[in-house]
Amino acid sequence: MMLNALYAYAQREGLLEDPDVELLAVDALIVVGSDGRFLSLTPTTDERGRGLKRAVPRIPKRTVAIQPGFFVDNARYVLGWGGDAAKAKKNPERAEAFQAVVHAVAKETNDPGAQAVAAFLSKLEKQLPKVVEQREEWTGEERLAFRWSGDEEGTLVHERPALREAWARRRGAEGVGDRAARRMRCLVTGEIGPVARLHPSIKNVPGAQSSGAALVSFNEEAFCSQGLTQGENAPVSRAAAEGYATALNHMLSRDGDRRYRQGVSLGEGAVVVFWTREPDPVVDTLLNVLDFPQPAQAVHFAESPLRGLEPGKFDATRFYAMTLGGNAARVVVRDWFELAIRDLKHNVLGYFDELKLEGRRERPLSVWDAVRAVEPPGARGIPPDLGTKLIGAALGGRPFPRELLAAALRRLRVPDKDDGASFLLHTRCALIKATLRRPPHGIKPMEVSVSLNPDSPEVPYQLGRLFAVLERLQWIALEGVNTSIKDRYFGAAMANPGVVFPRLLQLSNHHLAKLLGRSKGSARWVEKLIAEVMGRLPPRGWSTTLKLEEQGQFAIGYYHQRQDFFTRRDED
Amino acid sequence: MKAQSGRVFRLRARGPVACFSRPEMKVERVSYEVMTPSAARGLLEAVLWKPAIRWQVHEITVLAPIAWTSFRRNEVKQRMSEGVTFFADDSDRRAQRNTVALRDVDYVVSASFHLTEKAGPEDSVRKFEEMFERRLEKGQTFQAPYLGCREFVAAVEPAPEQVRPIEPELDRSLGWMFYDFDYRGEETVPLFFEARLERGRMKVPTLEQVLKAQVGAGEERR
């Protein structure tokens, strides 16, 4: 159903109006006169340095074989120019192959535009220096198209009706004449016809080769069955294969400031793309609340961050999401969702509800923020698995992964110097809270409140509170310190309270004595608070070690108590 | 002699993990949402298979909600065949592959069988009917029954009279699903059928129906 849904999306969005062309950036236009004279090389790049996107005849997928494009290709094919010594070795062959196509088409169609290009290529050797000097640098990757001076401004040679027909004819002949294309039932459309042997590549998937990787491929013998080779293992018609790939490439392409037009990055190794059967604004809302915050949307957030998740017109239609990662030459589907928009909204609101924690932020916690907050310092980012599971919790209403709890606790124990302490403390504790409330399979969920719950019967929670009180005491007694007990003991107290707390209480006696000399009121207040919290601990002494979930409760207790001090101070 | 069993047998199969790999996603595996007919046939054949009979699955009822899980494993990328010896932990012959599998599945498979041309004079429908029933009741199997991949073990038992299928939205399309391979020609042809989930049940067409649709749509046989 994945490929069906993608193919349907491409059709709905009009990405496939002409299956013979694809939308690609063209870097420069070569303008030629009717006699083949070189007139100019016009760069198309805008102020951002990006080339103009144009519908160009699909350029063949090539690895080492030489296969020219149709009137549009890179400089190595069009001019036989560019690339380092190793790459340039085959440039003459490439140019020859490209010229062969142009000459054949010029003869076949008698089109003046095609003939002009053919004439230009015939005397390429003489004109080449003039073309090359128009540009400072040539990498060989510049995509070039032709314009004939006889055409109206804006029309390119490959867009002339006669050439479009010629291209369609060529493509048609390829499909029929291809010895290898066996006729089978397409498992996307159900129609019987020639199957795509190799599927188009998907670009911009993190972790995959930068030149693109295939979603459907069979490159080892163990992946094939029953003597079938390549695409025959999963018969998909060429139209459907191009359709789903176009849809994915469209969603994964860059768009303005966005990293992905219709996807959210889940750390370094994965991306999730989503779409709906009918056009629905829910996709934009999700992009805005789950992705890296865009300045332009900040205003919108301030008003109502989750607007767009109220019941809407298309609640019964289906929503699709696909989490993709790369595995060298292959694109991996890490996760897949298909559900009614109604259920999606329910899940997403539930997700933000679990993450709700008293604190400084009104904006919902995006997946992007969450992933960033638990990233180990200096390392190469979090494993893609964590982001994948987090998006599963958001979109699919699934449990929060235990890895998240572990990662958040680890980061609390070793905070970074330049962490922006309170901001990340909030994020990390919110994630801990969510994992405790909605734990993975087989672990008992815990009740965790949004703000301080002084009557909680949970010992680790009360220990966390106690730690916050002791930290506070130290702060007011010594009137600010360079290295607080939090910096020194937080991690140890969380893991082994039995070892650390006796020492901390001893220290606190000194702090109390000091404070007593200065402000009796404050000292008495802290003393009372310590007694209150201690009163909720079991009389039989300290627990020696805390498990992961208990450490989570400790962190929440600490956070709540600390937050309570802030709110109190604001009220006073 | 009767060649077709008039009885419909119902087998229940459960397991913690299942992966009925979609052909397009069989390298980095992604499962179908519902058990495929060929996987169901495998379960039946684990209990009773003889050259004299051929199983026909009629219906697959889904009892547990469709839930997913995913993991990565090191798998071999080369086929073991005659004259080839290698160690599974040889890093040159392994590839790390992802699996998106189903979790906690529970199905009831309804099926019947018919005798094939391999049936001898001593074979009768009745004989196999009773054998199957006896074997299923006792939990006897020729091989460990599995859910899509050999490593995902299935617990197999007779289905109770009353079952309660899941109720997704009524009438949901599952797309073109793998049916089985057609081995009769020179080349193996994979067969597909249009699968639908209706009130938690997936109806399975007969092989004849699938082949007819195939010929009707004009597939060339080689």
Side-chain angles (χ1 to χ4, degrees):
Chain A
M1 288 306 280
M2 270 175 271
L3 301 189
N4 298 43
L6 283 168
Y7 184 45
Y9 173 83
Q11 284 174 320
R12 186 191 91 197
E13 293 293 301
L15 302 175
L16 300 177
E17 270 162 8
D18 187 346
D20 296 334
V21 299
E22 63 186 325
L23 209 57
L24 281 179
V26 173
D27 298 294
L29 305 177
I30 298 177
V31 188
V32 292
S34 299
D35 55 352
R37 198 158 37 90
F38 170 69
L39 296 179
S40 71
L41 181 79
T42 322
T44 67
T45 41
D46 57 14
E47 62 277 9
R48 280 205 176 115
R50 273 191 302 244
L52 173 81
K53 286 231 168 179
R54 255 336 232 260
V56 304
R58 277 185 188 276
I59 290 173
K61 186 172 175 171
R62 51 197 171 210
T63 41
V64 278
I66 288 178
Q67 280 186 303
F70 186 85
F71 281 76
V72 180
D73 211 321
N74 61 35
R76 294 200 304 239
Y77 273 90
V78 177
L79 304 173
W81 182 259
D84 53 38
K87 278 184 178 166
K89 220 166 73 188
K90 283 191 174 166
N91 277 353
E93 278 174 69
R94 293 194 181 99
E96 202 176 306
F98 184 81
Q99 284 182 26
V101 173
V102 171
H103 284 298
V105 173
K107 207 168 155 197
E108 175 191 321
T109 58
N110 266 330
D111 181 80
Q115 280 168 342
V117 176
F120 164 75
L121 292 177
S122 301
K123 35 188 173 172
L124 180 62
E125 240 169 273
K126 233 171 66 195
Q127 307 200 60
L128 189 61
K130 265 195 281 174
V131 183
V132 171
E133 68 174 26
Q134 304 282 318
R135 211 179 155 96
E136 274 180 29
E137 258 181 88
W138 288 91
T139 62
E141 294 302 326
E142 297 80 6
R143 196 168 291 124
L144 304 173
F146 286 96
R147 204 173 82 69
W148 171 48
S149 60
D151 267 327
E152 268 175 59
E153 191 77 34
T155 311
L156 303 182
V157 173
H158 69 262
E159 292 168 342
R160 295 176 56 81
L163 291 188
R164 291 175 69 151
E165 267 171 43
W167 175 232
R169 265 202 307 280
R170 271 175 176 256
R171 291 263 301 170
E174 247 172 62
V176 177
D178 191 356
R179 180 184 49 81
R182 190 168 157 184
R183 289 172 68 79
M184 291 170 96
R185 188 187 290 283
C186 166
L187 51 77
V188 174
T189 62
E191 280 154 25
I192 291 193
V195 299
R197 235 184 107 69
L198 296 177
H199 288 224
S201 20
I202 314 292
K203 295 196 182 81
N204 213 10
V205 177
Q209 285 167 359
S210 55
S211 54
L215 180 63
V216 180
S217 71
F218 305 89
N219 56 348
E220 298 288 351
E221 60 175 40
F223 305 159
C224 301
S225 325
Q226 308 290 347
L228 299 169
T229 59
Q230 291 293 359
E232 292 170 3
N233 280 284
V236 176
S237 64
R238 201 169 68 180
E242 274 162 9
Y244 86 74
T246 308
L248 270 182
N249 277 325
H250 175 78
M251 289 191 240
L252 289 170
S253 61
R254 268 177 179 281
D255 180 34
D257 301 327
R258 288 204 89 85
R259 197 149 157 198
Y260 301 105
R261 185 196 300 264
Q262 212 158 307
V264 173
S265 165
L266 306 176
E268 298 304 311
V271 54
V272 59
V273 291
F274 30 76
W275 71 102
T276 50
R277 185 162 285 273
E278 317 286 338
D280 190 293
V282 75
V283 170
D284 298 326
T285 310
L286 285 180
L287 282 174
N288 289 345
V289 295
L290 296 179
D291 201 10
F292 172 70
Q294 313 288 316
Q297 272 118 33
V299 183
H300 185 75
F301 279 130
E303 287 169 39
S304 164
L306 297 175
R307 188 166 49 192
L309 288 181
E310 302 98 31
K313 199 162 100 197
F314 295 115
D315 273 5
T317 61
R318 305 203 68 76
F319 169 87
Y320 308 93
M322 224 170 162
T323 309
L324 300 172
N327 190 356
R330 297 197 296 264
V331 174
V332 181
V333 177
R334 294 183 153 271
D335 213 340
W336 155 249
F337 307 87
E338 179 184 345
L339 66 170
I341 292 184
R342 187 189 310 110
D343 299 331
L344 168 81
K345 289 178 176 175
H346 175 85
N347 290 345
V348 172
L349 290 175
Y351 165 83
F352 285 120
D353 220 40
E354 302 286 29
L355 284 169
K356 201 177 283 170
L357 184 66
E358 182 194 39
R360 43 174 272 172
R361 311 217 305 167
E362 311 75 36
R363 211 167 67 70
L365 181 59
S366 74
V367 172
W368 192 86
D369 282 333
V371 167
R372 284 299 311 279
V374 298
E375 236 168 11
R380 256 186 294 133
I382 59 146
D385 220 29
L386 206 156
T388 304
K389 285 185 174 163
L390 196 57
I391 208 79
L395 303 181
R398 299 186 197 153
F400 285 83
R402 202 155 184 250
E403 295 98 301
L404 182 66
L405 179 62
L409 285 169
R410 198 163 45 233
R411 290 299 277 118
L412 279 185
R413 244 175 267 138
V414 227
D416 239 4
K417 281 275 175 285
D418 49 355
D419 244 7
S422 65
F423 171 74
L424 285 171
L425 181 68
H426 175 273
T427 307
R428 288 166 188 162
C429 287
L431 293 170
I432 291 172
K433 174 193 172 235
T435 352
L436 292 179
R437 283 176 59 104
R438 202 200 280 172
H441 223 53
I443 297 174
K444 217 173 117 245
M446 291 177 183
E447 262 315 308
V448 185
S449 53
V450 173
S451 55
L452 182 67
N453 172 18
D455 301 326
S456 167
E458 302 292 343
V459 175
Y461 183 86
Q462 297 293 356
L463 286 174
R465 281 186 68 199
L466 183 59
F467 191 89
V469 176
L470 296 177
E471 182 196 29
R472 186 82 191 149
L473 166 63
Q474 184 199 32
W475 178 262
I476 48 178
L478 307 182
E479 295 178 79
V481 278
N482 283 332
T483 309
S484 72
I485 62 166
K486 160 136 200 295
D487 299 329
R488 206 172 271 176
Y489 294 110
F490 185 77
M494 190 156 67
N496 307 310
V499 181
V500 180
F501 271 98
R503 164 122 185 86
L504 285 180
L505 285 173
Q506 233 175 10
L507 265 175
S508 79
N509 285 334
H510 298 298
H511 297 150
L512 260 180
K514 193 154 189 185
L515 184 58
L516 206 57
R518 202 172 61 236
S519 157
K520 258 196 183 139
S522 301
R524 238 179 253 135
W525 170 71
V526 178
E527 227 178 343
K528 223 176 92 191
L529 198 53
I530 294 179
E532 190 237 296
V533 180
M534 295 278 278
R536 298 193 185 273
L537 296 174
R540 237 174 294 148
W542 308 96
S543 348
T544 43
T545 50
L546 296 184
K547 289 186 301 187
L548 209 56
E549 277 73 23
E550 293 171 328
Q551 292 186 23
Q553 285 181 316
F554 181 100
I556 302 286
Y558 168 78
Y559 178 84
H560 277 164
Q561 185 63 51
R562 192 182 125 103
Q563 200 59 37
D564 193 59
F565 290 139
F566 290 139
T567 8
R568 234 165 257 260
R569 192 175 53 189
D570 291 347
E571 278 166 18
D572 289 347
Chain B
M1 190 179 70
K2 213 164 57 152
Q4 172 85 38
S5 166
R7 302 245 333 256
V8 172
F9 297 92
R10 291 164 74 248
L11 169 149
R12 183 179 193 174
R14 293 185 264 194
V17 194
C19 182
F20 310 105
S21 307
R22 293 164 171 275
E24 73 271 29
M25 301 281 142
K26 71 180 189 185
V27 178
E28 304 287 352
R29 297 174 206 275
V30 178
S31 177
Y32 279 112
E33 289 136 292
V34 175
M35 179 192 275
T36 60
S38 64
R41 181 168 55 78
L43 289 172
L44 296 161
E45 287 178 351
V47 178
L48 178 69
W49 179 81
K50 298 272 170 189
I53 63 169
R54 166 120 196 141
W55 284 100
Q56 167 66 48
V57 178
H58 301 304
E59 192 177 86
I60 293 168
T61 310
V62 185
L63 305 187
I66 297 165
W68 300 90
T69 182
S70 72
F71 41 85
R72 289 191 145 199
R73 297 181 290 176
N74 294 327
E75 302 184 41
V76 289
K77 57 185 187 184
Q78 200 164 359
R79 256 199 303 251
M80 186 65 91
S81 52
E82 223 175 310
V84 176
T85 325
F86 63 86
F87 293 101
D89 63 351
D90 179 347
S91 61
D92 288 342
R93 307 190 196 243
R94 289 189 316 176
Q96 191 168 59
R97 293 160 72 180
N98 196 65
T99 303
V100 179
L102 297 168
R103 221 187 48 214
D104 297 325
V105 296
D106 193 348
Y107 300 104
V108 169
V109 177
S110 313
S112 59
F113 64 82
H114 60 82
L115 296 183
T116 64
E117 62 271 27
K118 293 218 173 96
E122 73 286 359
D123 290 327
S124 77
V125 166
R126 177 89 191 277
K127 167 181 156 186
F128 291 121
E129 282 175 357
E130 284 179 2
M131 269 175 90
F132 180 78
E133 230 161 33
R134 212 164 46 227
R135 293 180 63 84
L136 184 61
E137 201 69 53
K138 281 183 170 171
Q140 282 177 303
T141 52
F142 292 142
Q143 60 186 29
Y146 60 91
L147 297 160
C149 295
R150 294 260 172 177
E151 50 273 45
F152 304 142
V153 188
V156 167
E157 61 190 81
E161 278 308 308
Q162 294 288 321
V163 291
R164 185 200 278 253
I166 53 156
E167 285 195 27
E169 309 89 274
L170 306 174
D171 211 16
R172 176 148 114 70
S173 166
L174 297 175
W176 286 85
M177 184 185 267
F178 177 67
Y179 182 81
D180 220 325
F181 281 108
D182 178 6
Y183 296 103
R184 296 164 312 158
E186 231 170 77
E187 280 183 51
T188 313
V189 179
L191 300 174
F192 295 90
F193 75 108
E194 232 178 333
R196 299 200 77 84
L197 195 57
E198 286 170 46
R199 295 181 179 268
R201 294 169 201 273
M202 184 177 82
K203 290 227 164 27
V204 179
T206 62
L207 179 63
E208 289 69 35
Q209 286 169 330
V210 175
L211 287 175
K212 218 172 121 190
Q214 195 94 340
V215 172
E219 167 156 39
E220 81 192 16
R221 286 198 55 88
R222 294 200 290 184

